[in-house]
Amino acid sequence: MRAPKRIGRPGVMGEIRDLVLRVARENSSWGYTRIQGALKNLGHSVARSTIATVLREQGMEPAPHRPSSWKTFLRAHWDEVVGTDFFTAEDWTAKGLVTYYVLFLIELKSRRVHIAAATPHPNESFMAQVARNLTDAVDGFLRGKRVLLCDRDTKFTEQFRKAIEAAGTRVVLTPYRAPNCIAHAERFVRSIKQECFDRMILFGDAHLQRVLNEYVAHYHAERNHQGLDNELIDGGNLPDAGRIECDERLGGPLKYYRRAA
């Protein structure tokens, strides 16, 4: 049986320190003794005082005061977490150039996207109506979801957040200036901007709605996603033989190559 490594052996201290920090960060409720046991399973015999010293040097509190990492939080709720955000679209109308604010939601695990609404005036009454639509007991997008992530944009009003939570979905506000906390939503904004809106000029509300609908359909059924091992969200069983055809949306910016059935 392999003898446990002692803390004083050459080259061991760095490994011990890294393990202590990793285990503590990934398990915020584990105390010194629990961490000590985990390291023992890995062949390291470490005193509780050593673990306390390593954590103290990194400014980490003992359990239960040590906060959970964002990664651990997301992993614990992965199947039921939805992110939400706004992006803007410039639209030429009879009144001139108008900026529309498009509110969307994205399921973090599946990457499925829902366009909630688009308006030039995302005021309190607008957001209240959106909350009612999202939490509808029959077909609301948040039905059955436990967590909604959103940033601290004032457009996410207190009334909006309370309506969401009253329906059973917890609203979690991300830290200030931390876009990576909703990285999936940020990535969707980048995709729809680069692949669609940066290549088009919009004329009127109906045109904006058509473009949004077409892009979402393309995003779900015709666009491969690196975060999903380069698969389609709604791929299904695709034929691997037959004539190759190219489908286009919006006059060409969105293309999809497939084999004819």
Side-chain angles (χ1 to χ4, degrees), residues 98-261:
V98 175
T99 299
Y100 274 76
Y101 296 86
V102 182
L103 176 63
F104 71 96
L105 297 90
I106 181 170
E107 295 178 347
L108 267 57
K109 183 177 181 180
S110 70
R111 307 298 201 275
R112 184 173 297 280
V113 165
H114 171 70
I115 302 296
T119 179
H121 307 293
N123 52 32
E124 189 167 335
S125 60
F126 167 82
M127 294 301 293
Q129 182 59 54
V130 168
R132 288 191 288 270
N133 295 342
L134 293 175
T135 57
D136 184 86
V138 177
D139 58 1
F141 188 76
L142 290 178
R143 185 166 60 91
K145 302 298 190 298
R146 291 184 59 191
V147 179
L148 175 66
L149 303 180
C150 63
D151 60 26
R152 296 173 184 269
D153 191 325
T154 55
K155 289 190 286 294
F156 295 112
T157 63
E158 182 179 0
Q159 182 182 5
F160 170 84
R161 299 195 304 270
K162 286 183 176 180
I164 298 295
E165 295 196 330
T169 301
R170 177 186 174 193
V171 177
V172 176
L173 301 179
T174 61
Y176 289 103
R177 299 179 182 177
N180 285 340
C181 288
I182 323 181
H184 303 81
E186 296 290 334
R187 185 63 179 85
F188 174 76
V189 173
R190 175 184 168 189
S191 297
I192 195 171
K193 290 279 191 177
Q194 289 183 344
E195 299 170 16
C196 195
F197 287 114
D198 288 352
R199 303 182 180 187
M200 305 185 69
I201 298 176
L202 302 176
F203 294 98
D205 178 71
H207 190 198
L208 171 61
Q209 293 297 330
R210 176 173 172 267
V211 171
L212 290 171
N213 293 338
E214 288 287 290
Y215 184 81
V216 170
H218 171 76
Y219 182 86
H220 286 155
E222 302 168 354
R223 184 186 186 281
N224 299 81
H225 297 267
Q226 296 178 19
L228 300 177
D229 295 327
N230 227 18
E231 298 289 337
L232 302 174
I233 294 176
D234 295 333
N237 295 321
L238 302 177
D240 55 6
R243 185 179 68 258
I244 296 176
E245 297 182 348
C246 177
D247 295 333
E248 295 184 350
R249 291 182 184 271
L250 300 175
L254 305 177
K255 291 183 172 66
Y256 173 56
Y257 295 89
R258 61 178 178 83
R259 290 191 181 272

Side-chain angles (χ1 to χ4, degrees), residues 44-86:
H44 294 294
S45 179
V46 186
R48 293 177 76 258
S49 59
T50 301
I51 295 172
T53 299
V54 170
L55 297 183
R56 186 166 55 249
E57 288 175 349
Q58 295 298 311
M60 298 178 66
E61 297 284 343
H65 306 293
R66 189 167 59 249
S68 174
S69 71
W70 190 255
K71 182 178 180 181
T72 300
F73 168 78
L74 292 181
R75 187 179 298 167
H77 302 280
W78 193 238
D79 293 343
E80 299 166 309
V81 177
V82 175
T84 185
D85 205 352
F86 285 90

